Amino acid sequence: MSIRIDVVGDDAALEDLWDWLGDDRDLRGRCRLASAPVRPGTMGSGTEIVMDLSNLVASGSALLSGVAAWLAYRRTEGRRTTPTVAVTTPDGHRFEITADEPAELERLLTALSGHLHRDDDPAA
């Protein structure tokens, strides 16, 4: 089982998030880059960050804290736009997280808690 993380429409920001998460000792080695599934209406797939839920049990709060900290950092960096981080759960439910909507992180954690001990993985 896995969750998929993407920065909507910004491959450079995805690489920045990847680096940011890799600097966290609790997350280092627990995430990987993978090709995103082709979505209807698109010409191909991009890259996204994938984290196995077995790793999420041990480091889920670190992942969500890392995403929240990265979004806050990007916002204070003086950029005109703050990226949107899309997280897709194993059942295909998509959460879009921005620096302006941190409560979505809590909804995501609640949604993920139901998947932590299940064996099905439609997102894999």
Side-chain angles (χ1 to χ4, degrees):
M1 292 178 57
S2 59
I3 60 170
R4 298 182 174 278
I5 304 163
D6 188 18
V7 177
V8 178
D10 192 339
D11 291 338
L14 178 69
E15 289 181 28
D16 188 47
L17 177 58
W18 168 252
D19 290 340
W20 181 278
L21 296 175
D23 287 341
D24 186 315
R25 65 184 168 103
D26 292 331
L27 296 173
R28 195 172 301 124
R30 296 181 185 268
C31 299
R32 67 186 191 284
L33 288 175
S35 294
V38 177
R39 292 188 177 95
T42 64
M43 294 181 62
S45 62
T47 302
E48 61 190 4
I49 300 169
V50 177
M51 180 180 222
D52 293 332
L53 285 185
S54 59
N55 288 325
L56 188 65
V57 172
S59 54
S61 62
L63 175 68
L64 298 181
S65 295
V67 168
W70 179 78
L71 284 168
Y73 166 76
R74 297 279 294 203
R75 182 178 212 184
T76 61
E77 213 180 15
R79 296 181 187 252
R80 278 189 246 160
T81 60
T82 303
T84 298
V85 176
V87 180
T88 305
T89 61
D91 62 0
H93 193 267
R94 183 177 164 110
F95 291 82
E96 292 195 354
I97 304 160
T98 66
D100 299 325
E101 201 50 56
E104 190 71 0
L105 285 168
E106 291 300 321
R107 289 189 282 277
L108 171 61
L109 187 57
T110 299
L112 289 175
S113 67
H115 294 283
L116 294 179
H117 300 291
R118 292 172 46 193
D119 292 330
D120 58 329
D121 186 3

